[in-house]
């Protein structure tokens, strides 16, 4: 486990559980450096003071808040640490809610393990963990950390407490304007979609891997060894472009999902939707005859010398 990022206590009514906060995930993304393309020299970001026009060290850099245009006030880290927050050194549980009531959009992606801190904390730690494990509720708590107060969700994973940082209500945007309007979907299409959901349902997603990162690492390894990067085995098909029969597409998807599980789903085909024929405007013979008549009535020019 990595080193603790924060230490304090869980406040559960009159029960106090000393804990340490530790990162529950790690970022395995491939990182690149910015380089000068001509000679691969590293491109560095240097911090300059715009008043003195010189580079400053990390020890000279602090926080400032703009209260008005071109007016800043300095804020010291010590001032932030001394703020009178009850959650400054405590994870204060404020409520218990059904796990299904938490909108996944509110999960910020930051997750942390809570480790009990010392022998005295072991029994109340196990107590709250087992209490949460025996029902469908999760704990919602407040935590002051890194210059702000956060809302966190506490749950149990393999006997250990896990904290997931939540977005506040005013940090979640309203998506109602994004949904399509006046679209008709038949009951048969919904039933077929539900069948597709059932055929793709699983209890385990541990087998999925980041194929892009694996391919990128293979490319970087080949370039480091002076070899040609591996070529892609298949060309990715461009999404969209074809208009297909929705019901047929659903049926074919169900067939493929069942075939992947070794189930006999029969044969199905996806048919391309027929393209509507363009209507050609019919010529009006009356206008043509009118033009011819007008041309016939036009007098011929007299030849000179006639």
């Amino acid at each position: 486990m990595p080193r603790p990022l924060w230490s304090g206590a869980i406040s559960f009514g009159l029960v106090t559980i000393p804990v340490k906060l530790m990162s529950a995930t790690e970022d395995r993304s491939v990182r690149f450096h910015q380089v000068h393309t001509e000679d691969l020299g590293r491109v560095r970001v240097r911090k300059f003071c715009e008043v003195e026009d010189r580079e400053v060290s990390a020890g000279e850099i602090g926080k400032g808040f703009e209260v008005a245009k071109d007016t800043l006030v300095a804020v010291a880290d010590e001032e932030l640490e001394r703020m009178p927050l009850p959650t400054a050194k405590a994870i204060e549980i404020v409520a218990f809610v059904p796990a299904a009531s938490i909108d996944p959009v509110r999960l910020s992606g930051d997750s942390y393990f809570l480790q009990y801190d010392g022998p005295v904390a072991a029994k109340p730690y196990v107590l709250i963990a087992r209490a949460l494990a025996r029902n469908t509720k999760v704990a919602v708590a407040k935590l002051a950390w890194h210059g702000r107060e956060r809302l966190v969700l506490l749950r149990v994973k393999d006997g250990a407490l896990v904290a997931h940082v939540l977005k506040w209500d005013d940090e979640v945007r309203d998506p109602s304007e994004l949904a399509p309007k006046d679209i008709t979907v038949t009951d048969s299409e919904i039933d077929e979609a539900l069948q597709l959901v059932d055929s793709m349902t699983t209890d385990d997603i541990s087998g999925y891997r980041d194929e892009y990162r694996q391919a990128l690492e293979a490319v970087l390894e080949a370039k480091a060894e002076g070899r040609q990067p591996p070529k892609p085995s298949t060309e990715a098909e461009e999404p969209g472009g074809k208009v297909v029969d929705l019901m047929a597409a659903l049926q074919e998807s169900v067939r493929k999902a069942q075939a992947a599980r070794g189930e006999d789903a029969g044969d199905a085909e996806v048919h391309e939707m027929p393209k509507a024929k363009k209507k050609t405007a019919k010529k009006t013979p009356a206008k043509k005859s009118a033009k011819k008549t007008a041309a016939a009535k036009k007098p011929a020019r007299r030849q000179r010398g006639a």
Side-chain angles (χ1 to χ4, degrees):
M1 279 291 175
R3 63 179 181 83
L5 303 172
W6 177 92
S7 62
I10 297 176
S11 175
F12 176 37
L14 298 178
V15 179
T16 300
I17 312 169
V19 292
K20 295 178 179 179
L21 198 71
M22 319 179 81
S23 181
T25 61
E26 56 182 331
D27 188 357
R28 301 293 301 276
S29 301
V30 177
R31 302 289 182 181
F32 294 100
H33 293 297
Q34 288 187 324
V35 297
H36 185 202
T37 54
E38 292 186 4
D39 51 22
L40 294 183
R42 290 283 299 275
V43 176
R44 307 283 184 176
V45 178
R46 302 186 184 277
K47 298 183 178 180
F48 277 79
C49 173
E50 63 180 21
V51 176
E52 300 181 14
D53 194 23
R54 67 175 181 88
E55 187 177 354
V56 293
S57 63
E60 299 176 271
I61 300 175
K63 295 181 176 67
F65 180 76
E66 189 174 25
V67 293
K69 185 173 177 58
D70 300 329
T71 303
L72 297 170
V73 293
V75 181
D77 291 337
E78 295 77 12
E79 293 175 310
L80 297 176
E81 292 173 359
R82 290 197 302 265
M83 287 182 61
L85 284 176
T87 55
K89 274 295 180 180
I91 300 175
E92 181 186 1
I93 295 178
V94 294
F96 290 89
V97 299
S101 69
I102 300 294
D103 187 348
V105 173
R106 299 190 64 169
L107 294 171
S108 69
D110 296 328
S111 301
Y112 303 92
F113 289 136
L114 292 170
Q115 180 187 36
Y116 69 93
D117 191 3
V120 177
K123 186 170 183 177
Y125 183 97
V126 173
L127 175 64
I128 188 174
R130 291 186 179 176
L132 286 173
R134 287 193 183 184
N135 59 46
T136 59
K137 293 183 176 64
V138 294
V140 176
K142 284 185 174 183
L143 165 66
W145 186 36
H146 281 189
R148 59 176 297 190
E149 191 172 49
R150 302 164 190 262
L151 198 65
V152 296
L153 176 152
L154 299 181
R155 68 178 185 90
V156 182
K157 176 179 172 60
D158 298 331
L161 292 175
V162 188
H164 302 282
V165 180
L166 298 173
K167 296 287 186 183
W168 296 96
D169 285 341
D170 58 359
E171 292 180 319
V172 179
R173 294 181 176 134
D174 182 9
S176 58
E177 295 182 0
L178 304 179
K181 304 294 190 297
D182 301 328
I183 299 298
T184 301
V185 179
T186 65
D187 289 339
S188 300
E189 291 169 335
I190 296 175
D191 291 341
E192 199 67 37
L194 290 175
Q195 187 177 350
L196 178 58
V197 171
D198 291 339
S199 63
M200 296 179 66
T201 298
T202 180
D203 295 328
D204 183 19
I205 60 169
S206 60
Y208 295 104
R209 297 290 181 266
D210 186 350
E211 296 181 15
Y212 175 82
R213 178 167 62 88
Q214 293 176 350
L216 181 57
E217 288 174 345
V219 170
L220 296 175
E221 182 181 354
K223 291 178 74 69
E225 297 176 357
R227 298 183 286 107
Q228 286 293 328
K231 295 181 179 179
S233 55
T234 57
E235 293 184 2
E237 186 177 342
E238 289 290 335
K242 282 188 175 180
V243 179
V244 296
D245 185 335
L246 181 58
M247 180 61 77
L250 287 169
Q251 292 172 348
E252 175 68 3
S253 300
V254 171
R255 187 191 68 80
K256 287 185 176 181
Q258 291 176 341
R261 292 183 172 218
E263 302 173 8
D264 185 13
D267 298 327
E269 295 181 358
V270 179
H271 303 283
E272 189 172 350
M273 290 285 284
K275 296 181 179 178
K277 295 182 179 180
K278 294 183 178 179
K279 294 182 179 181
T280 55
K282 294 182 179 181
K283 296 181 180 179
T284 309
K287 291 185 178 180
K288 278 192 170 183
S289 59
K291 287 183 179 180
K292 288 182 179 179
T293 306
K297 291 181 178 180
K298 189 176 181 180
R301 293 182 179 178
R302 294 183 179 179
Q303 295 181 357
R304 291 182 180 179

